[in-house]
Structures are given as structure tokens and as C-alpha cells.
């Protein structure tokens, strides 16, 4: 079996295992356990100039190769084009995207630097798997250096309709570079159709044939074990005791404008205002660690949430009850697993999300004898698989309030039936299945590649549009 080369903006820390590991590391655990691997990317550190020679350390069968980013590249490639332009556009938020020519130049320079540092480490029979929007240009840069290995690309976030994406300056160049990949994966069939349409409009119809939907999963069995064992943690017991018998609803998200947090908080406030029978009977815990706190948009979001939580608590709190508990610091994943098992409602309402693994983790964390209810945005990729969830329009606080009322009054038999179907889905489409399916498509195993890509070929004629002038 050939070596697997994983390329990501950030490299997994080889010292982190199990519950401490990042999301991508958890998702790829099965793939790197089965074969020799090289994990390449940014170290997370900055220097005066972007490094040309990676630092390499080995753990098990995997080599971890990292380079530091130059300060200018960090500013233009990472903060600029990746996060200020691509991130909002890919989440359908063209109106708040910020475009600057120097950011595009920095994005191209950083992708070229990654390729130049990686190329000398490659073996002729390596399989290369690049991840996410930071590295749209990587395959083309490797091809320009003469690399002929099979290269796959997986986009973890949504891909918007063609008309939205083409509002991105340099969209044509991004799509042309993506066409250098042998297999292109996205989370849902909607994302796949959007990307196919964009590629066709850019004159890359052949590349559209290589796009497939490969929904990512979790290690459900491991998360169930984690949640069960950690439900007796001191921190979880403290939370349970503090509720004094009240229902717990939980939300777990990065503090990001794509997660629908203001609307979610407003929806919980609307529940208390419109359905007063739930006052003093339910507590909402929102865990939202601050991300990109140096960016004005994120600082404004935090201020908005601080004010909203304070206003709702001020209107509805009792001496022995605060409706909303709001945490903006990171909480350890094992503790969160215990909190999820305790929570009778999981509230997952992003405005747009590629998949949202928190929804799947909430399902996996539940007690089979008394499962909770998942209230889920219909615009999260997970909604395609978790049909037992109570679906909401995350832009409508009243819809969220009504869904919470349904969840709070749902009979045990219905809760059980809804959860069993979702649990079966989470356990059948695991992270290991996702890895195997995508790598089969990339490495040419027809029986699984057909499942991921036949839909694209079947719909190609339907999605074809004339190239943009």
C-alpha cells in the first residue's frame, strides 16, 4: 500500500491522542493507522520569512513535517484571503467578505511555498490528500513542479451556488487550480452540484466529473464510550447538581458568525417569552470559545452575544435560576462529552455548515434508555443524515422557540424512536468509512468510487451551464 500524504493548513500535534486530538486528526485516525503516512503543513508559528525546509518528527508510522509561516504570508494568506474572503464566500456571506489584491498574492505565494517544501519529501507512488479551502491552489502548484502522484482534495466547509462563488475575485483561477486534482470531495450532494456548476462555468467540465459527495462522520463508538465514562466527572456532577432537576439544553460552537449564535440566543429568549410554562424549568448552556478575537467582526459578535445573554437573563432570571449560562473559554472535549450526555436537548443551529460533527457527537453521547432531542439547522450538512432531528430555519428565532417547545414536551417513545434512527446513521457512516470511501475514489477502487461519484456524472447534463463570459 502506498504512503498517504496528508496536507492541511495546520498539522496535527503528534503528542495529542484520543480526546485531545483535533477534528481532522480524529477523522483521519483510521487512515493513518493502516499505512505509512506523512502529515505536512503549517506549524502554527510565524517567522520573519516562510520556511523552505520543513521540520520532521516521527510518531508511530507517521512523519509530521511542518514549516513556519512568514508574518506577511500569515497576514495575507491566512487572515486575509483564507479567512476574510474565502470563509465568508463559501458560507454564502458574500456581502461581508473583504477582498484585497495583496491577499490573493499572499495566498498564491503561501500555496506555492507549501508545494515547494513538500515536493522534495514525496515518493513516486505516494497518494496525496489535501484538505480544505486554504489549499485550493496546492495541486496545481505541485503539478507545476513536476509532481505526478495522485492528488485528492476535500473541502470540509460548504460550497455555495455558482453565482455566489463567482463573486469572489480570482474565482476562475481557484477553479482552474482545483482541476489539477484527481478526486475532489465535498460534504453533501448540494455542495457537489454547486461545485460542478462552478467548474463547468469556468470551462473545467472534465474536473466536474471528478467531484463527489463524501459526508464525514465521527468515531461514534469511541465518543459514546467517552461520554459514558465522563458523565461521572466532577465537572459534570457539579453541573448536574446545579441544575436542581431542570432540563439542560446545550450548544457547542466556535464563536463564529456562521454558527447562528445571535439567532439561537434570541430563539431561547422567544421560548421563555412565548411559552412561559418552561420558565425556571430549562437551562441553556452555550459553550462558544472565542476564535479570531483579533478580527473586528468577531469582536462585534462577542459584544452582541454578551448583550443578548445579559438582556434575556435580566428579563427572565429568578434568584435561584439563570436561563442562559454562557462560556467563551475552551472546555475539554471529555468534559463536553459528559455535558452532552447530561443534556436533554442538543441545540445545533448554524446558518450554514458543511457537516457539523457536534450534531453527530450529541447523538452518540445519549443514554439509549433515555435519549435527548436534537434541534438542528436544516442548513447543516448533518441534516441530510439525521432525519430524527427537529429541523429549524436558523434565521428564524420563533421557529427555534417552537422547536424547543416540541423538544421539551416530546413523549419518551417518540424521543427513543427519533434517536434510534439517528444513532444507526451515525454508527454506519463513521470517520473510518469516510476515509475509505474517499481514498477508494482517489486511488481507483471502482466499487466505492462509483458510490461517491456516479451521482455527479448522472447530474452533469442537468447542471451544465454555458461558460461565463
Amino acid at each position: 500500500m502506498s504512503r498517504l500524504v496528508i496536507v492541511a493548513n495546520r498539522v496535527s500535534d503528534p503528542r495529542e491522542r484520543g480526546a485531545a486530538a483535533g477534528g481532522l486528526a480524529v477523522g483521519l485516525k483510521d487512515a493513518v493507522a493502516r499505512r505509512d503516512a506523512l502529515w505536512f503543513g503549517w506549524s502554527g508559528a510565524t517567522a520573519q520569512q516562510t520556511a523552505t525546509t520543513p521540520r520532521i518528527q516521527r510518531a508511530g508510522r507517521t512523519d509530521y513535517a511542518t514549516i513556519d509561516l512568514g508574518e506577511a504570508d500569515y497576514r495575507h494568506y491566512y487572515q486575509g484571503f483564507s479567512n476574510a474572503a474565502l470563509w465568508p464566500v463559501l458560507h454564502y456571506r458574500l456581502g461581508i467578505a473583504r477582498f484585497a489584491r495583496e491577499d490573493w498574492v499572499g495566498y498564491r505565494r503561501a500555496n506555492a511555498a507549501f508545494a515547494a517544501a513538500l515536493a522534495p519529501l514525496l515518493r513516486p507512488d505516494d497518494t496525496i490528500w489535501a484538505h480544505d479551502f486554504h489549499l485550493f491552489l496546492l495541486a496545481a502548484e505541485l503539478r507545476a513542479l513536476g509532481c505526478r502522484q495522485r492528488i485528492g482534495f476535500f473541502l470540509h466547509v460548504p460550497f455555495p451556488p455558482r453565482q455566489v462563488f463567482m463573486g469572489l475575485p480570482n474565482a476562475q483561477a481557484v477553479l482552474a487550480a482545483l482541476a489539477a486534482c484527481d478526486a475532489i470531495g465535498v460534504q453533501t450532494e448540494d455542495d457537489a452540484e454547486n461545485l460542478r456548476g462552478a467548474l463547468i462555468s469556468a470551462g473545467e467540465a472534465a474536473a466536474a466529473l471528478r467531484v463527489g459527495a463524501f459526508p464525514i462522520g465521527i468515531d461514534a463508538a469511541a465518543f459514546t464510550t467517552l461520554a459514558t465514562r465522563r458523565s461521572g466527572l466532577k465537572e459534570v456532577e457539579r453541573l448536574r447538581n446545579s441544575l436542581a432537576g431542570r432540563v439542560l439544553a446545550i450548544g457547542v460552537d466556535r464563536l463564529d458568525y456562521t454558527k447562528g449564535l445571535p439567532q439561537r440566543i434570541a430563539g431561547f429568549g422567544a421560548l421563555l417569552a412565548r411559552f412561559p410554562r418552561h420558565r425556571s424549568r430549562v437551562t441553556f448552556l452555550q459553550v462558544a470559545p472565542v476564535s479570531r478575537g483579533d478580527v473586528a467582526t468577531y469582536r462585534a459578535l462577542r459584544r452582541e452575544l454578551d448583550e443578548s445573554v445579559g438582556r434575556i437573563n435580566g428579563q427572565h432570571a429568578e434568584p435561584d435560576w439563570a436561563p442562559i449560562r454562557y462560556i467563551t473559554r475552551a472546555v475539554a472535549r471529555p468534559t463536553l462529552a459528559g455535558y452532552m450526555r447530561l443534556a436533554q436537548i442538543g441545540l445545533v443551529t448554524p446558518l450554514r455548515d458543511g457537516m457539523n460533527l457536534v450534531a453527530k457527537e450529541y447523538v452518540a453521547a445519549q443514554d439509549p434508555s433515555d435519549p435527548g432531542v436534537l434541534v438542528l439547522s436544516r442548513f447543516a450538512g448533518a441534516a441530510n443524515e439525521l432525519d430524527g432531528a427537529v429541523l429549524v430555519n436558523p434565521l428564524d428565532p420563533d421557529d427555534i422557540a417552537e422547536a424547543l417547545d416540541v423538544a421539551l414536551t416530546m413523549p419518551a417513545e417518540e424521543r427513543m424512536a427519533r434517536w434510534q434512527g439517528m444513532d444507526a446513521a451515525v454508527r454506519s457512516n463513521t470517520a473510518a468509512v469516510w476515509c475509505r470511501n474517499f481514498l477508494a475514489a482517489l486511488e481507483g477502487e471502482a466499487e466505492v468510487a462509483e458510490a461517491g461519484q456516479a451521482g455527479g456524472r448522472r447530474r452533469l447534463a442537468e447542471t451544465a451551464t454555458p461558460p461565463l463570459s
Side-chain angles (χ1 to χ4, degrees):
M1 184 177 292
S2 65
R3 185 177 64 163
L4 177 62
V5 178
I6 301 162
V7 190
N9 175 61
R10 287 292 300 273
V11 173
S12 171
D13 188 334
R15 296 168 297 181
E16 293 183 342
R17 294 289 183 267
L24 185 57
V26 172
L28 293 171
K29 179 179 66 174
D30 180 74
V32 299
R34 292 169 174 265
R35 61 204 292 182
D36 291 337
L38 168 66
W39 196 307
F40 175 90
W42 176 35
S43 66
T46 58
Q48 189 171 6
Q49 300 291 332
T50 295
T52 57
T53 303
R55 294 187 296 271
I56 302 176
Q57 54 182 318
R58 187 166 183 84
R61 299 180 66 178
T62 303
D63 290 315
Y64 295 84
T66 59
I67 61 172
D68 297 342
L69 274 181
E71 293 175 359
D73 286 339
Y74 172 77
R75 186 166 62 254
H76 296 299
Y77 149 76
Y78 181 71
Q79 290 184 314
F81 197 77
S82 293
N83 287 324
L86 281 172
W87 177 263
V89 170
L90 292 169
H91 286 86
Y92 295 52
R93 302 293 299 276
L94 187 60
I96 65 172
R98 190 191 76 232
F99 308 114
R101 184 69 57 85
E102 59 267 27
D103 290 343
W104 167 245
V105 172
Y107 183 80
R108 291 182 58 191
R109 184 172 59 238
N111 272 257
F114 281 153
L118 173 62
L121 307 179
L122 295 176
R123 303 169 184 170
D125 63 343
D126 281 343
T127 295
I128 303 168
W129 189 0
H131 289 267
D132 233 353
F133 57 95
H134 310 85
L135 301 174
F136 273 133
L137 310 185
L138 181 75
E141 294 291 349
L142 287 171
R143 299 296 189 215
L145 295 173
C147 298
R148 294 295 174 258
Q149 293 85 351
R150 295 192 70 80
I151 303 175
F153 177 87
F154 189 84
L155 182 65
H156 291 261
V157 302
F159 194 91
R162 174 180 64 89
Q163 295 89 340
V164 174
F165 189 74
M166 298 311 291
L168 174 79
N170 309 108
Q172 293 274 146
V174 170
L175 293 166
L178 195 56
C181 296
D182 297 291
I184 304 166
V186 290
Q187 298 279 17
T188 70
E189 189 55 42
D190 284 346
D191 294 328
E193 290 189 1
N194 289 341
L195 179 51
R196 291 178 197 125
L199 285 165
I200 292 166
S201 74
E204 302 291 349
L209 293 171
R210 301 193 290 273
V211 175
F214 300 87
I216 193 170
I218 64 171
D219 186 342
F223 198 83
T224 298
T225 300
L226 181 65
T228 303
R229 290 178 176 174
R230 299 306 176 113
S231 61
L233 276 176
K234 178 177 66 176
E235 294 91 335
V236 179
E237 283 296 322
R238 283 175 54 199
L239 175 57
R240 179 184 288 109
N241 294 336
S242 72
L243 293 170
R246 297 182 178 93
V247 170
L248 175 66
I250 191 169
V252 178
D253 310 83
R254 284 188 306 106
L255 191 68
D256 189 278
Y257 54 79
T258 67
K259 300 301 182 181
L261 294 173
Q263 294 87 349
R264 187 183 309 171
I265 296 296
F268 189 77
L271 170 77
L272 302 179
R274 292 183 52 197
F275 304 95
R277 63 182 176 274
H278 298 307
R279 293 176 190 168
S280 198
R281 293 185 55 211
V282 57
T283 296
F284 175 39
L285 171 62
Q286 176 63 58
V287 180
V290 173
S291 67
R292 304 168 188 165
D294 56 341
V295 178
T297 305
Y298 290 81
R299 292 198 302 269
L301 174 62
R302 184 174 183 181
R303 284 194 301 271
E304 180 183 1
L305 292 173
D306 289 347
E307 293 170 1
S308 297
V309 170
R311 182 170 58 254
I312 292 169
N313 280 344
Q315 289 172 344
H316 298 289
E318 301 290 346
D320 63 341
W321 170 67
I324 302 175
R325 302 182 186 184
Y326 173 52
I327 299 174
T328 57
R329 64 180 183 279
V331 176
R333 191 163 179 263
T335 304
L336 288 174
Y339 288 170
M340 288 182 188
R341 190 171 180 86
L342 178 62
Q344 290 95 326
I345 298 173
L347 194 49
V348 183
T349 58
L351 303 182
R352 187 72 57 174
D353 221 335
M355 179 52 61
N356 196 294
L357 297 183
V358 170
K360 296 187 174 185
E361 289 174 341
Y362 177 77
V363 170
Q366 295 309 292
D367 180 349
S369 65
D370 187 26
V373 179
L374 176 63
V375 176
L376 178 62
S377 165
R378 64 179 69 254
F379 303 133
N384 294 325
E385 299 176 70
L386 304 180
D387 57 6
V390 180
L391 297 183
V392 298
N393 182 333
L395 294 163
D396 184 354
D398 282 310
D399 197 20
I400 295 171
E402 290 163 4
L404 286 170
D405 178 58
V406 168
L408 287 163
T409 57
M410 186 177 292
E413 296 80 5
E414 184 180 351
R415 285 192 283 113
M416 183 80 72
R418 285 173 174 265
W419 173 80
Q420 287 173 343
M422 293 190 294
D423 187 62
V426 168
R427 293 182 188 281
S428 63
N429 185 36
T430 63
V433 170
W434 167 72
C435 280
R436 288 197 295 269
N437 284 355
F438 184 83
L439 289 173
L442 175 57
E443 296 177 325
E445 294 176 23
E447 66 275 15
V448 184
E450 181 181 355
Q453 293 184 288
R457 296 183 176 92
R458 203 167 47 243
R459 293 175 177 84
L460 190 56
E462 301 171 12
T463 60
T465 55
L468 293 180
S469 57

